[in-house]
Amino acid sequence: MYWAAKDDLPGFVKDQGYRCFKFRLGGAVRMETPVMYFYSPREVTARVKVLFPHGVITEWYPDGDNAIYESKGLMDQIRMYSDDAVLQTKSLIDPAPHGLGPELVRLSPSLNGIDTSLRNLMGAIAWNDIKIQPGSTADFPDEKQPSRYYAARATDAAPITAGGQHEKFLFYRGVGRMPVPLSARVSGDGSVVVENRGPDPVPTAILFENRGGRLGYRNAGAIQNSGAIQSVVALDRPSLDGSFSQLRHDLETALVAQGLFPKEAQAMVETWRDSWFEEGSRLIYIVPAHAIDAMLPLQVDPAPAQTARVFVGRIELVTAETKRAVEEAFAHSDWPVIERYGRFLEPILARISSESPWKAKQVEQYLGKIPSSIGAGACR
């Protein structure tokens, strides 16, 4: 079952029908709203391409050339492609990521034959004629409805035009299956054990918790790379007497330290404040730059004098407090509380059922009670 939440993107964002297709993809990671800013003292025409090995770009703006490439060896089993759709993998990415093979087939917009496991495909989005226009006063699209999308415009970046569409940035979003640098597990005593399994240090990791509007957090600082003495840390549950303003300051400071301008850091936190800091417990961390480049190879022509790529990762934690809150909310039919957990309801209920098999029947009853407004059917 797919638990959806209210769509958080304006209608002008492009999706080619993929937005409602995401729940069928076997991705382990949702790539939510990367944006790309440009700074230049003069007008420049540029080309940008982002590759997404083992992933699919599902939404983007302005309009661009969105593509999905799948291993020819897999496509040969159904032979639903034309010869002119075949490309050498090395012409797109070298070395070829595991599972792609030496030749790829560009899928048709109908996505016939798509490997929904994502193991044998690669997504890509290209903007081939971007006008970077410092000082431009072009109007940006605005549907006059609340959306986190618009907060990303509050920077000093140069406006851009691509395909006749104006914006302050390039936007894209997708679903992928790739390893992430950190793992986290909740111990029996309630502490969270965080391990860096990657080759690079994670610059910042923050354990956050929100219970009924009371929040707390622990800033673990940097977590060293795999094999180092401090590549594994245990974090006690934070006391719920924290300040959002202090948390925001700490997070924005960490983002600026990794290369963002202050207004970019502020815009990022503002964009995701209702998601990162919603009800529940989660680990928020900054992804190492080398991991970003491996997950999403970037090509920009002409090459910029400087590039900074800063991504924030999020791991949702199913703690004893979360399970107890969900069970109590169901017992009292407290739908506002239930709705706060949105798309995480399924894994939370699955964890309750697996850890307490005698509650399996009760969990089934919970599932039957969920209103359609919280359950499947919407797109996000």
Side-chain angles (χ1 to χ4, degrees), residues 217 242-251:
Y217 71 98
S243 159
F244 174 73
S245 60
Q246 186 61 49
L247 169 59
R248 179 166 191 156
H249 174 270
D250 289 355
L251 187 51

Side-chain angles (χ1 to χ4, degrees), residues 31-332:
M31 180 181 66
E32 295 187 324
T33 320
V35 296
M36 193 180 308
Y37 297 112
F38 297 87
Y39 297 85
S40 175
R42 64 185 186 282
E43 185 165 319
V44 177
T45 299
R47 294 185 296 274
V48 172
K49 187 171 189 177
V50 180
L51 302 175
F52 194 9
H54 309 299
V56 173
I57 306 293
T58 55
E59 293 111 313
W60 60 94
Y61 192 83
D63 202 7
D65 179 21
N66 187 61
I68 301 174
Y69 303 95
E70 188 163 317
S71 173
K72 181 175 178 293
L74 189 63
M75 289 295 290
D76 282 342
Q77 299 176 24
I78 56 174
R79 189 61 191 183
M80 296 179 67
Y81 63 89
S82 60
D83 290 339
D84 60 1
V86 180
L87 299 92
Q88 295 294 314
T89 304
K90 287 185 177 181
S91 69
L92 297 171
I93 185 170
D94 189 19
H98 177 74
L100 293 191
E103 292 182 304
L104 298 175
V105 174
R106 179 167 179 165
L107 298 185
S108 67
S110 65
L111 302 185
N112 286 332
I114 187 171
D115 172 24
T116 55
S117 77
L118 306 182
R119 290 186 173 91
N120 301 281
L121 58 71
M122 176 175 70
I125 180 75
W127 292 271
N128 295 316
D129 186 22
I130 304 169
K131 306 295 185 185
I132 302 168
Q133 301 167 308
S136 169
T137 57
D139 290 334
F140 303 136
D142 188 340
E143 294 185 337
K144 310 303 181 184
Q145 297 292 328
S147 171
R148 63 164 52 100
Y149 176 93
Y150 300 117
R153 291 175 176 167
T155 71
D156 295 325
I160 64 167
T161 299
Q165 297 167 340
H166 308 292
E167 193 41 280
K168 199 71 175 286
F169 46 75
L170 296 178
F171 161 88
Y172 57 100
R173 175 185 280 187
V175 177
R177 176 185 289 274
M178 64 280 198
V180 295
L182 290 189
S183 69
R185 62 179 175 84
V186 181
S187 297
D189 62 1
S191 64
V192 176
V193 178
V194 181
E195 180 180 359
N196 186 348
R197 297 179 176 178
D200 303 298
V202 168
T204 300
I206 295 173
L207 176 62
F208 172 83
E209 185 170 355
N210 179 347
R211 298 292 166 196
R214 299 173 59 226
L215 62 88
Y217 71 98
R218 291 193 183 278
N219 191 340
I223 300 188
Q224 298 306 311
N225 52 291
S226 178
I229 294 176
Q230 296 196 1
S231 64
V232 181
V233 298
L235 303 175
D236 291 332
R237 181 188 177 194
S239 57
L240 301 181
D241 56 1
S243 159
F244 174 73
S245 60
Q246 186 61 49
L247 169 59
R248 179 166 191 156
H249 174 270
D250 289 355
L251 187 51
E252 289 178 2
T253 298
L255 293 169
V256 170
Q258 296 306 306
L260 292 189
F261 292 126
K263 285 187 178 181
E264 293 175 339
Q266 293 164 13
M268 179 183 279
V269 175
E270 184 62 28
T271 297
W272 289 107
R273 61 180 294 174
D274 65 336
S275 178
W276 290 349
F277 311 127
E278 64 187 344
E279 187 83 7
S281 181
R282 60 198 57 92
L283 188 74
I284 300 168
Y285 64 94
I286 295 180
V287 181
H290 287 164
I292 299 171
D293 292 336
M295 294 176 188
L296 293 160
L298 172 66
Q299 302 168 7
V300 182
D301 183 30
Q306 183 178 356
T307 302
R309 305 183 78 187
V310 183
F311 281 27
V312 172
R314 162 182 173 167
I315 300 175
E316 198 70 13
L317 301 170
V318 182
T319 65
E321 291 73 22
T322 294
K323 290 180 286 187
R324 182 162 50 249
V326 168
E327 288 189 86
E328 290 178 356
F330 273 108
H332 296 92

